[in-house]
Amino acid sequence: MARPASSSGQTPRHQLSGQLSAPLRRFLGTESGSATLLVAATVVALGWANSAWVGAYEQLWATEISLRVGDAELALDLEDWVDDAFMAVFFLVVGLEVRRDLSIGELTDRRRAVLPLLAGIGGMVVPVLLYLAINRGGDAVHGWGVVIGTDTAFLLGTLALVGPRTSTQLRVFLLTLTVVDDIVAVTVIGVVYSGEIVVPALLLAGLATVALAVLGRLRVRRTWPYVVAMLALWLSVLESGLHASIAGMVAGLLIPAYLPRRREVERAASSATAFRQSPMAQVGRSAQGALARAVPVNERLQVVLHPWTSYVVVPVFALANAGVDLRGGVLADALASPVMWGVVAGLVVGKLVGVGAGALGGEALGLGRLPQGVGPGQVLGGAALSGIGFTVALLIIGLAFDDERRQDEATVGVLLALVLATAVGWSAFRLAAVLHGETSAGLPMVLDRPVDPEHDHVRGRPSAPLTLVEYADFECPFCARATGVSREVRQHFGADLRYVFRHLPLPDVHPHAELAAAASEAAAAQGRFWELHDVLFERQDRLELEDLAGYAAELGLDVERFLRELDEQTHAGRIRADVASAEASGARGTPTFFVGGRRHVGPYDAGTLIAALEAGRRTEDDPALA
């Protein structure tokens, strides 16, 4: 899918939507969009609660809704349905996303998670200490959990409004940080803010948890067994005295995420082809089942549930919980309340100090490094915005305080913290831009993983003084043209240039790209990477499995071993590592070139690349030109 060249002369290229980044960007986009609805729901709730129709507001959420099957009955008022059922679905989606990130997403490289982990821990410990310093005794102490969480939707939405003009890397960092917040917040809700424990129901919850774990271990492909087990878990947890949100998080964490097996993808493609040739109901049903089996349950549930949680569940929760009647001296009492100021101090000051110290202190100690393109001032701006607690904070308020007056005081604190945290974040970003030139937290320009001749695919003398790195996709037509360009560049420089190939498959636009990349690595395992590399680009319109097997036979490879490694995804980790390095290096399309370790921006014809390499050589020869 090509797009025309830009007016700046940039050659068209395919945009990155690979297996690691596309779900993440969809997540970011959905959460940012829902922030508008959250604000609207909050304003409506406050306006309604402070109007002449406040009675209707209270009566609506006190309406009892019951479900009855035979003699069994589940009766909750509407507000409890929102807090216990809707929020369980919300935390289910959070758990699914966390499991995916841990398995095949941003957190597979544990080193990249060190600083967000430290920042997340600091962003909980410091706020709690500040809250307890202000509220040292009485029932106010129970509200310490209000200040531990961060509202992801509000955080990302606000970042888009007040943050740097490009904030991709900062957003990913902050999203990783909120993973820690979410897990700890649900644990606190389940352990600290639960009622009296009912042991038989807790045992049933344990059995449902085991059932989910077994389903995941067996990689059951149908969705309904998971749904049945999750409903059983939710009902058991609800009856056990634990808060039902913990059921959602546990269920999400237990539903596995993994890359689809190529065999199942091929079977789904064959079934779809059969339906196209014979569009009958039975064939269509078979194709539908094959497609469902090819995509893990984790991702299927996310696709279905995420829009609902972002655009319905969280706004309805805000509508039900943000409505504080500020009349009758409530606002004056709140402004004089240690609870309110403890919440404000914990969220606004505590998050800024805790997250900032965790991230910047961890980097100073050498425990990790900030994402490329993200500066210290931008980290502090993001830390300030993490003081927007809202969703989790409002949920914990209802659990921490029985007294309605206390609930109102804490809610006012959460709303005031939202405004102040946004203002502090805006100020931090502006100061970072003015004082340190941190105007963007976007795409890095430097190659993230240095070239390693023992690991990378290198053409030319490994110790050559000039280096040209290309991230490419075997099905990308622009990459096929670039192979001729790189050949001309190699001929120009001869032994002075080493050319390095790294994978950046774009399966959203090139369905055969990942399979072709895996095939090239299977050939590399038999010492024939470059031979198959050239064949794949020459015949990139024929990249089906049987085609690849034929190419392997032509090259004299062990075809049985070749096909076994494709089926078992033996080289998936290598390809993921290349994709991760592309992300960290700012490569968002194919082909992307790096000249001497720096990302090349602009046309990538042979003349331009030769000029860039020559300029790099002159810079090395004369440091004054740098």
mmCIF file of all heavy atoms in Angstrom, residues 412-451:
data_model
loop_
_atom_site.group_PDB
_atom_site.id
_atom_site.type_symbol
_atom_site.label_atom_id
_atom_site.label_comp_id
_atom_site.label_asym_id
_atom_site.label_seq_id
_atom_site.Cartn_x
_atom_site.Cartn_y
_atom_site.Cartn_z
ATOM 1 N N VAL A 412 -13.384 15.487 46.484
ATOM 2 C CA VAL A 412 -12.961 16.850 46.158
ATOM 3 C C VAL A 412 -11.443 16.891 45.988
ATOM 4 O O VAL A 412 -10.915 17.549 45.077
ATOM 5 C CB VAL A 412 -13.413 17.842 47.255
ATOM 6 C CG1 VAL A 412 -12.785 19.217 47.022
ATOM 7 C CG2 VAL A 412 -14.930 17.962 47.268
ATOM 8 N N GLY A 413 -10.716 16.158 46.840
ATOM 9 C CA GLY A 413 -9.263 16.105 46.712
ATOM 10 C C GLY A 413 -8.820 15.513 45.389
ATOM 11 O O GLY A 413 -7.887 16.011 44.751
ATOM 12 N N VAL A 414 -9.492 14.462 44.951
ATOM 13 C CA VAL A 414 -9.150 13.821 43.678
ATOM 14 C C VAL A 414 -9.399 14.785 42.516
ATOM 15 O O VAL A 414 -8.584 14.901 41.596
ATOM 16 C CB VAL A 414 -9.951 12.522 43.490
ATOM 17 C CG1 VAL A 414 -9.785 11.978 42.077
ATOM 18 C CG2 VAL A 414 -9.512 11.482 44.510
ATOM 19 N N LEU A 415 -10.538 15.486 42.553
ATOM 20 C CA LEU A 415 -10.867 16.425 41.474
ATOM 21 C C LEU A 415 -9.908 17.610 41.461
ATOM 22 O O LEU A 415 -9.470 18.068 40.397
ATOM 23 C CB LEU A 415 -12.308 16.905 41.630
ATOM 24 C CG LEU A 415 -13.387 15.819 41.502
ATOM 25 C CD1 LEU A 415 -14.763 16.401 41.788
ATOM 26 C CD2 LEU A 415 -13.356 15.200 40.116
ATOM 27 N N LEU A 416 -9.564 18.119 42.659
ATOM 28 C CA LEU A 416 -8.615 19.235 42.733
ATOM 29 C C LEU A 416 -7.225 18.776 42.265
ATOM 30 O O LEU A 416 -6.521 19.520 41.564
ATOM 31 C CB LEU A 416 -8.546 19.770 44.159
ATOM 32 C CG LEU A 416 -7.617 20.967 44.405
ATOM 33 C CD1 LEU A 416 -7.985 22.143 43.513
ATOM 34 C CD2 LEU A 416 -7.640 21.386 45.883
ATOM 35 N N ALA A 417 -6.839 17.556 42.625
ATOM 36 C CA ALA A 417 -5.547 17.022 42.204
ATOM 37 C C ALA A 417 -5.481 16.900 40.686
ATOM 38 O O ALA A 417 -4.420 17.120 40.086
ATOM 39 C CB ALA A 417 -5.292 15.662 42.853
ATOM 40 N N LEU A 418 -6.589 16.552 40.066
ATOM 41 C CA LEU A 418 -6.627 16.460 38.610
ATOM 42 C C LEU A 418 -6.241 17.797 37.970
ATOM 43 O O LEU A 418 -5.412 17.852 37.055
ATOM 44 C CB LEU A 418 -8.028 16.032 38.169
ATOM 45 C CG LEU A 418 -8.265 15.671 36.701
ATOM 46 C CD1 LEU A 418 -9.501 14.782 36.582
ATOM 47 C CD2 LEU A 418 -8.482 16.897 35.823
ATOM 48 N N VAL A 419 -6.829 18.867 38.480
ATOM 49 C CA VAL A 419 -6.544 20.206 37.930
ATOM 50 C C VAL A 419 -5.104 20.621 38.217
ATOM 51 O O VAL A 419 -4.378 21.093 37.328
ATOM 52 C CB VAL A 419 -7.537 21.233 38.509
ATOM 53 C CG1 VAL A 419 -7.193 22.641 38.016
ATOM 54 C CG2 VAL A 419 -8.963 20.874 38.140
ATOM 55 N N LEU A 420 -4.659 20.430 39.466
ATOM 56 C CA LEU A 420 -3.316 20.860 39.848
ATOM 57 C C LEU A 420 -2.240 20.034 39.148
ATOM 58 O O LEU A 420 -1.213 20.579 38.704
ATOM 59 C CB LEU A 420 -3.153 20.766 41.369
ATOM 60 C CG LEU A 420 -4.008 21.729 42.197
ATOM 61 C CD1 LEU A 420 -3.811 21.469 43.678
ATOM 62 C CD2 LEU A 420 -3.675 23.180 41.857
ATOM 63 N N ALA A 421 -2.438 18.723 39.050
ATOM 64 C CA ALA A 421 -1.452 17.872 38.389
ATOM 65 C C ALA A 421 -1.308 18.258 36.918
ATOM 66 O O ALA A 421 -0.193 18.259 36.369
ATOM 67 C CB ALA A 421 -1.853 16.402 38.516
ATOM 68 N N THR A 422 -2.428 18.592 36.296
ATOM 69 C CA THR A 422 -2.365 19.035 34.893
ATOM 70 C C THR A 422 -1.577 20.334 34.768
ATOM 71 O O THR A 422 -0.735 20.481 33.861
ATOM 72 C CB THR A 422 -3.781 19.230 34.337
ATOM 73 O OG1 THR A 422 -4.505 17.994 34.441
ATOM 74 C CG2 THR A 422 -3.749 19.677 32.890
ATOM 75 N N ALA A 423 -1.817 21.262 35.681
ATOM 76 C CA ALA A 423 -1.105 22.545 35.646
ATOM 77 C C ALA A 423 0.393 22.362 35.895
ATOM 78 O O ALA A 423 1.231 22.959 35.208
ATOM 79 C CB ALA A 423 -1.702 23.498 36.682
ATOM 80 N N VAL A 424 0.733 21.513 36.872
ATOM 81 C CA VAL A 424 2.154 21.275 37.170
ATOM 82 C C VAL A 424 2.826 20.580 35.986
ATOM 83 O O VAL A 424 3.962 20.897 35.616
ATOM 84 C CB VAL A 424 2.300 20.437 38.456
ATOM 85 C CG1 VAL A 424 3.755 20.047 38.676
ATOM 86 C CG2 VAL A 424 1.784 21.220 39.660
ATOM 87 N N GLY A 425 2.142 19.617 35.391
ATOM 88 C CA GLY A 425 2.692 18.924 34.232
ATOM 89 C C GLY A 425 2.934 19.873 33.075
ATOM 90 O O GLY A 425 4.001 19.834 32.431
ATOM 91 N N TRP A 426 1.967 20.740 32.806
ATOM 92 C CA TRP A 426 2.120 21.733 31.734
ATOM 93 C C TRP A 426 3.330 22.617 32.002
ATOM 94 O O TRP A 426 4.138 22.870 31.100
ATOM 95 C CB TRP A 426 0.855 22.579 31.639
ATOM 96 C CG TRP A 426 0.926 23.653 30.600
ATOM 97 C CD1 TRP A 426 0.623 23.547 29.270
ATOM 98 C CD2 TRP A 426 1.332 25.019 30.805
ATOM 99 N NE1 TRP A 426 0.826 24.740 28.635
ATOM 100 C CE2 TRP A 426 1.252 25.672 29.544
ATOM 101 C CE3 TRP A 426 1.747 25.747 31.912
ATOM 102 C CZ2 TRP A 426 1.583 27.003 29.376
ATOM 103 C CZ3 TRP A 426 2.083 27.087 31.753
ATOM 104 C CH2 TRP A 426 1.992 27.703 30.502
ATOM 105 N N SER A 427 3.483 23.072 33.247
ATOM 106 C CA SER A 427 4.612 23.943 33.599
ATOM 107 C C SER A 427 5.939 23.210 33.421
ATOM 108 O O SER A 427 6.919 23.778 32.921
ATOM 109 C CB SER A 427 4.471 24.422 35.047
ATOM 110 O OG SER A 427 3.261 25.136 35.232
ATOM 111 N N ALA A 428 5.989 21.931 33.831
ATOM 112 C CA ALA A 428 7.231 21.158 33.717
ATOM 113 C C ALA A 428 7.629 20.978 32.253
ATOM 114 O O ALA A 428 8.809 21.104 31.902
ATOM 115 C CB ALA A 428 7.058 19.802 34.394
ATOM 116 N N PHE A 429 6.661 20.691 31.409
ATOM 117 C CA PHE A 429 6.974 20.530 29.983
ATOM 118 C C PHE A 429 7.461 21.844 29.375
ATOM 119 O O PHE A 429 8.391 21.843 28.546
ATOM 120 C CB PHE A 429 5.748 20.022 29.227
ATOM 121 C CG PHE A 429 5.431 18.583 29.489
ATOM 122 C CD1 PHE A 429 4.167 18.197 29.906
ATOM 123 C CD2 PHE A 429 6.395 17.592 29.305
ATOM 124 C CE1 PHE A 429 3.872 16.868 30.142
ATOM 125 C CE2 PHE A 429 6.108 16.260 29.535
ATOM 126 C CZ PHE A 429 4.845 15.888 29.963
ATOM 127 N N ARG A 430 6.849 22.955 29.758
ATOM 128 C CA ARG A 430 7.280 24.235 29.201
ATOM 129 C C ARG A 430 8.688 24.597 29.675
ATOM 130 O O ARG A 430 9.514 25.075 28.901
ATOM 131 C CB ARG A 430 6.278 25.353 29.600
ATOM 132 C CG ARG A 430 4.911 25.207 28.979
ATOM 133 C CD ARG A 430 4.995 25.210 27.459
ATOM 134 N NE ARG A 430 3.820 24.696 26.792
ATOM 135 C CZ ARG A 430 3.532 23.429 26.598
ATOM 136 N NH1 ARG A 430 4.335 22.491 27.070
ATOM 137 N NH2 ARG A 430 2.476 23.062 25.922
ATOM 138 N N LEU A 431 8.973 24.381 30.952
ATOM 139 C CA LEU A 431 10.312 24.672 31.466
ATOM 140 C C LEU A 431 11.364 23.771 30.813
ATOM 141 O O LEU A 431 12.471 24.208 30.500
ATOM 142 C CB LEU A 431 10.331 24.483 32.989
ATOM 143 C CG LEU A 431 9.618 25.564 33.803
ATOM 144 C CD1 LEU A 431 9.564 25.181 35.272
ATOM 145 C CD2 LEU A 431 10.312 26.919 33.635
ATOM 146 N N ALA A 432 11.005 22.502 30.604
ATOM 147 C CA ALA A 432 11.937 21.573 29.947
ATOM 148 C C ALA A 432 12.252 22.040 28.533
ATOM 149 O O ALA A 432 13.391 21.930 28.060
ATOM 150 C CB ALA A 432 11.356 20.167 29.934
ATOM 151 N N ALA A 433 11.249 22.567 27.852
ATOM 152 C CA ALA A 433 11.460 23.045 26.483
ATOM 153 C C ALA A 433 12.310 24.298 26.460
ATOM 154 O O ALA A 433 13.221 24.440 25.623
ATOM 155 C CB ALA A 433 10.109 23.298 25.819
ATOM 156 N N VAL A 434 12.051 25.217 27.386
ATOM 157 C CA VAL A 434 12.757 26.498 27.387
ATOM 158 C C VAL A 434 14.188 26.348 27.912
ATOM 159 O O VAL A 434 15.143 26.868 27.326
ATOM 160 C CB VAL A 434 11.978 27.532 28.228
ATOM 161 C CG1 VAL A 434 12.805 28.805 28.403
ATOM 162 C CG2 VAL A 434 10.643 27.859 27.574
ATOM 163 N N LEU A 435 14.362 25.629 29.013
ATOM 164 C CA LEU A 435 15.666 25.551 29.661
ATOM 165 C C LEU A 435 16.585 24.494 29.053
ATOM 166 O O LEU A 435 17.807 24.662 29.032
ATOM 167 C CB LEU A 435 15.485 25.259 31.157
ATOM 168 C CG LEU A 435 14.691 26.306 31.953
ATOM 169 C CD1 LEU A 435 14.564 25.889 33.414
ATOM 170 C CD2 LEU A 435 15.350 27.679 31.851
ATOM 171 N N HIS A 436 16.007 23.416 28.579
ATOM 172 C CA HIS A 436 16.841 22.299 28.105
ATOM 173 C C HIS A 436 16.577 21.924 26.655
ATOM 174 O O HIS A 436 17.164 20.966 26.153
ATOM 175 C CB HIS A 436 16.628 21.070 28.994
ATOM 176 C CG HIS A 436 16.938 21.309 30.439
ATOM 177 N ND1 HIS A 436 18.213 21.522 30.903
ATOM 178 C CD2 HIS A 436 16.113 21.387 31.529
ATOM 179 C CE1 HIS A 436 18.183 21.708 32.220
ATOM 180 N NE2 HIS A 436 16.921 21.641 32.625
ATOM 181 N N GLY A 437 15.695 22.645 25.987
ATOM 182 C CA GLY A 437 15.416 22.350 24.590
ATOM 183 C C GLY A 437 14.689 21.029 24.366
ATOM 184 O O GLY A 437 14.761 20.455 23.274
ATOM 185 N N GLU A 438 13.984 20.530 25.388
ATOM 186 C CA GLU A 438 13.261 19.259 25.267
ATOM 187 C C GLU A 438 11.884 19.520 24.658
ATOM 188 O O GLU A 438 10.861 19.509 25.327
ATOM 189 C CB GLU A 438 13.132 18.580 26.634
ATOM 190 C CG GLU A 438 14.473 18.226 27.261
ATOM 191 C CD GLU A 438 14.337 17.657 28.664
ATOM 192 O OE1 GLU A 438 13.197 17.341 29.076
ATOM 193 O OE2 GLU A 438 15.365 17.540 29.364
ATOM 194 N N THR A 439 11.893 19.731 23.366
ATOM 195 C CA THR A 439 10.643 20.081 22.682
ATOM 196 C C THR A 439 9.920 18.870 22.126
ATOM 197 O O THR A 439 8.788 18.967 21.694
ATOM 198 C CB THR A 439 10.931 21.054 21.527
ATOM 199 O OG1 THR A 439 11.866 20.449 20.628
ATOM 200 C CG2 THR A 439 11.510 22.356 22.062
ATOM 201 N N SER A 440 10.595 17.734 22.105
ATOM 202 C CA SER A 440 9.977 16.536 21.546
ATOM 203 C C SER A 440 10.415 15.324 22.348
ATOM 204 O O SER A 440 11.553 15.249 22.814
ATOM 205 C CB SER A 440 10.381 16.352 20.078
ATOM 206 O OG SER A 440 9.922 15.116 19.581
ATOM 207 N N ALA A 441 9.493 14.393 22.525
ATOM 208 C CA ALA A 441 9.821 13.110 23.149
ATOM 209 C C ALA A 441 9.454 12.017 22.156
ATOM 210 O O ALA A 441 8.827 11.026 22.494
ATOM 211 C CB ALA A 441 9.070 12.938 24.467
ATOM 212 N N GLY A 442 9.821 12.276 20.912
ATOM 213 C CA GLY A 442 9.376 11.399 19.835
ATOM 214 C C GLY A 442 10.434 10.427 19.381
ATOM 215 O O GLY A 442 11.157 9.837 20.174
ATOM 216 N N LEU A 443 10.537 10.292 18.079
ATOM 217 C CA LEU A 443 11.349 9.236 17.500
ATOM 218 C C LEU A 443 12.837 9.485 17.722
ATOM 219 O O LEU A 443 13.345 10.553 17.396
ATOM 220 C CB LEU A 443 11.062 9.131 16.007
ATOM 221 C CG LEU A 443 9.602 8.879 15.626
ATOM 222 C CD1 LEU A 443 9.467 8.791 14.121
ATOM 223 C CD2 LEU A 443 9.087 7.617 16.286
ATOM 224 N N PRO A 444 13.541 8.495 18.228
ATOM 225 C CA PRO A 444 14.988 8.623 18.384
ATOM 226 C C PRO A 444 15.684 8.687 17.024
ATOM 227 O O PRO A 444 15.125 8.268 16.011
ATOM 228 C CB PRO A 444 15.382 7.340 19.137
ATOM 229 C CG PRO A 444 14.111 6.807 19.705
ATOM 230 C CD PRO A 444 13.020 7.227 18.777
ATOM 231 N N MET A 445 16.920 9.164 17.035
ATOM 232 C CA MET A 445 17.698 9.287 15.794
ATOM 233 C C MET A 445 18.912 8.360 15.780
ATOM 234 O O MET A 445 19.559 8.212 14.757
ATOM 235 C CB MET A 445 18.173 10.734 15.630
ATOM 236 C CG MET A 445 17.062 11.746 15.403
ATOM 237 S SD MET A 445 16.169 11.465 13.860
ATOM 238 C CE MET A 445 17.454 11.780 12.661
ATOM 239 N N VAL A 446 19.229 7.743 16.920
ATOM 240 C CA VAL A 446 20.447 6.957 17.047
ATOM 241 C C VAL A 446 20.120 5.473 17.069
ATOM 242 O O VAL A 446 19.130 5.050 17.680
ATOM 243 C CB VAL A 446 21.215 7.349 18.326
ATOM 244 C CG1 VAL A 446 22.493 6.526 18.465
ATOM 245 C CG2 VAL A 446 21.545 8.833 18.304
ATOM 246 N N LEU A 447 20.942 4.677 16.398
ATOM 247 C CA LEU A 447 20.756 3.229 16.365
ATOM 248 C C LEU A 447 20.829 2.679 17.779
ATOM 249 O O LEU A 447 21.817 2.865 18.488
ATOM 250 C CB LEU A 447 21.831 2.579 15.485
ATOM 251 C CG LEU A 447 21.662 1.098 15.169
ATOM 252 C CD1 LEU A 447 20.426 0.854 14.316
ATOM 253 C CD2 LEU A 447 22.903 0.561 14.456
ATOM 254 N N ASP A 448 19.783 1.989 18.191
ATOM 255 C CA ASP A 448 19.679 1.565 19.591
ATOM 256 C C ASP A 448 20.642 0.430 19.914
ATOM 257 O O ASP A 448 21.274 0.431 20.957
ATOM 258 C CB ASP A 448 18.244 1.117 19.881
ATOM 259 C CG ASP A 448 18.090 0.567 21.287
ATOM 260 O OD1 ASP A 448 18.205 1.362 22.228
ATOM 261 O OD2 ASP A 448 17.866 -0.649 21.450
ATOM 262 N N ARG A 449 20.769 -0.548 19.047
ATOM 263 C CA ARG A 449 21.651 -1.682 19.308
ATOM 264 C C ARG A 449 22.826 -1.608 18.346
ATOM 265 O O ARG A 449 22.639 -1.726 17.131
ATOM 266 C CB ARG A 449 20.906 -2.995 19.112
ATOM 267 C CG ARG A 449 21.625 -4.217 19.648
ATOM 268 C CD ARG A 449 20.830 -5.472 19.393
ATOM 269 N NE ARG A 449 20.876 -5.869 17.998
ATOM 270 C CZ ARG A 449 19.842 -6.356 17.323
ATOM 271 N NH1 ARG A 449 18.671 -6.471 17.904
ATOM 272 N NH2 ARG A 449 19.974 -6.721 16.059
ATOM 273 N N PRO A 450 24.026 -1.382 18.830
ATOM 274 C CA PRO A 450 25.180 -1.271 17.930
ATOM 275 C C PRO A 450 25.334 -2.534 17.076
ATOM 276 O O PRO A 450 24.914 -3.625 17.459
ATOM 277 C CB PRO A 450 26.363 -1.109 18.897
ATOM 278 C CG PRO A 450 25.761 -0.624 20.166
ATOM 279 C CD PRO A 450 24.404 -1.230 20.241
ATOM 280 N N VAL A 451 25.948 -2.369 15.931
ATOM 281 C CA VAL A 451 26.157 -3.500 15.033
ATOM 282 C C VAL A 451 27.104 -4.510 15.682
ATOM 283 O O VAL A 451 28.168 -4.152 16.194
ATOM 284 C CB VAL A 451 26.736 -3.027 13.684
ATOM 285 C CG1 VAL A 451 27.115 -4.223 12.805
ATOM 286 C CG2 VAL A 451 25.734 -2.130 12.971
#
